[in-house]
Structure formats: structure tokens, C-alpha cells
Amino acid sequence: MSTTSLPVPDRSPRLREALLAAAFTADGLLDLLGAPAYAALARSETVPALRATRGDAPLDTLVRLFLLQQPVPYERAAAALPLTECAEDGWVIRVGDEVRATVDVRPYSGPEGQDWYIVSDLGCAVGGAGGIGSREEGVVLGVGGASTTLAGITVRMPVASALDVGTGSGIQALHASQHASRVTATDLNPRALDFTRLTLALSGVAPAELRQGSLYEPVGTETYDLIVSNPPFVISPGARLTYRDGGMGGDDLCRTLVQQTGDRLNEGGYAHFLANWQHVEGEDWQSRLSAWVPFGCDAWIVQREVQDVTQYAELWLRDSGDHRTDPAVYAARYDAWLDEFEAHKTKGVGFGWITLRKSAAAAAGNPSVVIEEWPHAVEQPLGPAVEAHFARQDYLREQDDAALLAGHFTLAAEVVQEQVGLPGAEDPEHVVLRQHRGMRRATKVDAVGAGFAGVCDGTLPAGRILDAIAQLMSEDPVLLRDRTPQAIRLLVEEGFLEPVPPAG
């Protein structure tokens, strides 16, 4: 583990003022670098950014110093920063006539355009976890794709208490600080807690309560309105790297985290996790995951990708830079990964997200558990769509077929109809409804379904609409009423139709 001492946050407001004055912000970076160089940074490619920062303005200096980890002349650093304070507090060190940063500082834009900063270990912000090439056990990463995905799927509503399990550099705690009265952040790695403290201080938000320990151990029996975690979910042979390897066999860490969440959530509270799970020979992956859902919780689990065991091993061997070591060492480590998978009869690994919600209906023995595969593009932030998903589940649990036919519905915003068929044909082969918001789903419907959805404007109950369709299509209205509620239920569940609340 790295033993480098970290900066102290006491005078962070002065440093923050200097960064803002120089436009060292997400918008400022984009303006300076241009879109191609800015995008290249996310791929761990720094050459375009180095070319774009050859000037001597304070922003050029700060980008080279804190984001690209290049030494800068002392005079230029002094012009951009309160340099004496920054050196005393440990943000930078002087080496001869040059100044070097001791940590990564990456500008990050909050959901309402806030100018925030994520502080992490050197070399661990540019490109995030997609190839940091670090083999230090206690390294603390900055912002990566996983971090922003989790932040985007989290339901954001005012809550009294929020818990960030495995906080890392503190990005989830930073988001939670905007809508939670009290934020607690935990991590097994004490350096991660120090980085979280720096991130919150430099971003100008309230400090969080920081506790060291594994999973829920540091919080005992305390309960929360919101729990988020981007845990060390990698299924690996051992626990070599704290930031990614759970140290339990197979996917036990993710399973344990999810199963223990039910006792830590308050009624109506949400928990959001990123996770990996095994696809085990002879087992249905959805059935395996359904067993993870704790009593008293509804769940929505989305599998975004599946990799075979060789792809998965290669991904994480490259992540830690093992592909650049001695070939014999690389081969031995690769072999160890395959041994691990063989021992657990693992044929593939799924990537995705898990959302739990504590509900009275689930506690009464009627949980809503949806486990699906959706590898397609979604609209971020997805939090509003997640909240709407559970609201629809609540509605559908309370509606029998008769109530559904008596209900009023409207077509969701930005749903379009596509007709597919041979050119010149009188009728389409099939009709597709497609969303352009949220999960961006598409579903096939028959002529009745298309007609029904097309006239849903909230004015007529579903049964009356079906009666009119039956008359137009010369169908028996009773039979149509009998066979259509299941289709309506599916359109509501997937968000194509929205129930209209009763008047008054």
C-alpha cells in the first residue's frame, strides 16, 4: 500500500478559489482542450491535452499540474495557486525549480452545474479504472464510468440520511450531500476516507461522517433512507487490489452486500449497487439473483453485459497493468483466474446494476422483483426512470383486471410508433412502440395495442376505448376485454402508458 502522506483539507477554500478563478472546471477544460482532446482523456490518452496546454495561462498550468501530472515551472505555479499554502498543506511539492502535484484533482460537474473536484491517487483520475495500470494494493481511484453510472441511476429525493458503502474518492457521498441531511461514508481502506474528506472539502460541500470498515460493519444496526455502493465487485482469485477485489469467493461479496441491505433500509428507502455476478453452469442466472433480494424489499436488477471467463480475466489483468509484466507472470495470473472460475463452475460474468426499495407490500409477502437483460443505450441520469419504475409496480400490484379496465391512461412522452413491413403492402407485418426517454425500450404490439395506445389521452377509461376498437374491428367486445388487460399491464410496466390519478 502507498504510504505517501495526503494533503490536509484545512485551507481547501483558498485552493478552491484559485481553481475557480482560473476556470479549472469541467466547462473550462472543455473550452481549453476542445472536444477531441477532452474525450481522449477519458481513454487515458494525454498527448492531445498536453498539446493543448502549451500556453502559460493559469488554466494551462493547473491542467498540466493536477490532471496530467506534469511538472510545471515554479513561477507559473505561483501565478496560478496560493503556492506557499498548497506546499505546506501537501497538495504540491517543490523539486528544484519545478512544482509537482501529490494527488490527482479532476474537475467534475454536478447535476445542477456545480463545480466540484474529485481527488484521487496520482494517475488514477485520467481514464478512471479503464486502464490505470496500478498494482498498489491501497490505490484510490478517481472518476470512472462505473462511478458516473451509479450516480446517474440513483433516485434523488430529499432524505434524512444517506450511506455510501465503499466510498473510494467520495463521488457518491458528494452527490448525496446535495439532498441528504446527513451523509455517512465507509471504506475498508483508510486512505479512501482521507480522499473523500479532500473531495468534499475542495468541492465546497458539507463534510460527511467517515467510518472505516468492511460493508455494513462500521454502521452496526443503523438504518438509512438511501444506500449507494460501487463495491469491489471484481470476481478474482484473491484480494490483491483493495479498490476492486472483494476478497470473497466468486460473487459472494456482492451477494452479501445486497442480502444485508434489507435490515439497513428505512421504509420507502432506496439502495443502489453496481455488481458483477456469476453465470454458473446448470443454474439460471436470474434465479440466482432473485435469491439475493432481501425480505421486505422490491428489486429491479438489470444486466447490462455478459463476458465469457477469458474476456473477463483479460479485462482486469489489463486494468492492473499485468499485461505489461513478465510474460510468465502474466500467464500464471491468467491461469489463476481460470482456476477460480473452474472451481466455481463459472461460464460467464454479468455486469449490471441492482436497485432495492423497502416497501410495505414486500414486507407483507408481495414483493415486486424484476430481473432483466438490457444491453442497449439508456438515458442518463436514469434516477427519475428508476423511481417511476417502482411507482408503476406499486400501481400494478393494486389493480386487478377490472380496475385496470376502469383506469385512465396517457401515452408516455416521446413514444413513437414504427410500422415494419414490405414496401407497398396494405398492412404492416408488425407495429413497434419505441421510447426515446429513460430505458429507451421498444415493444411489438398488435393492431389493438397500437390503436389503444394511440388514443390514450386520459379522457376515456380503458374499457370504453376497447369497446370502440372492438366495434371498428368487428370483434366481440367481451372477448377483447378479456384478453387485453395483460397487454395493457405490460405497456404500463414498461413505461409506455402512464396511469392517470383519479380526479379529486
Side-chain angles (χ1 to χ4, degrees), residues 306-322:
V306 182
Q307 288 188 340
D308 67 46
V309 293
T310 59
Q311 290 175 309
Y312 189 80
E314 291 162 13
L315 168 67
W316 295 109
L317 286 165
R318 282 175 168 77
D319 169 79
S320 56
D322 287 313

Side-chain angles (χ1 to χ4, degrees), residues 235 309 312-313 336-346 349:
I235 300 170
V309 293
Y312 189 80
W337 283 74
L338 297 184
D339 285 343
E340 172 80 6
F341 291 132
E342 185 175 340
H344 289 90
K345 298 183 178 180
T346 304
V349 178

Side-chain angles (χ1 to χ4, degrees), residues 277-295:
W277 43 79
Q278 295 163 286
H279 283 236
V280 178
E281 186 176 343
E283 293 186 35
D284 176 69
W285 70 272
Q286 292 171 307
S287 297
R288 285 191 80 246
L289 288 180
S290 67
W292 292 15
V293 179
F295 176 78

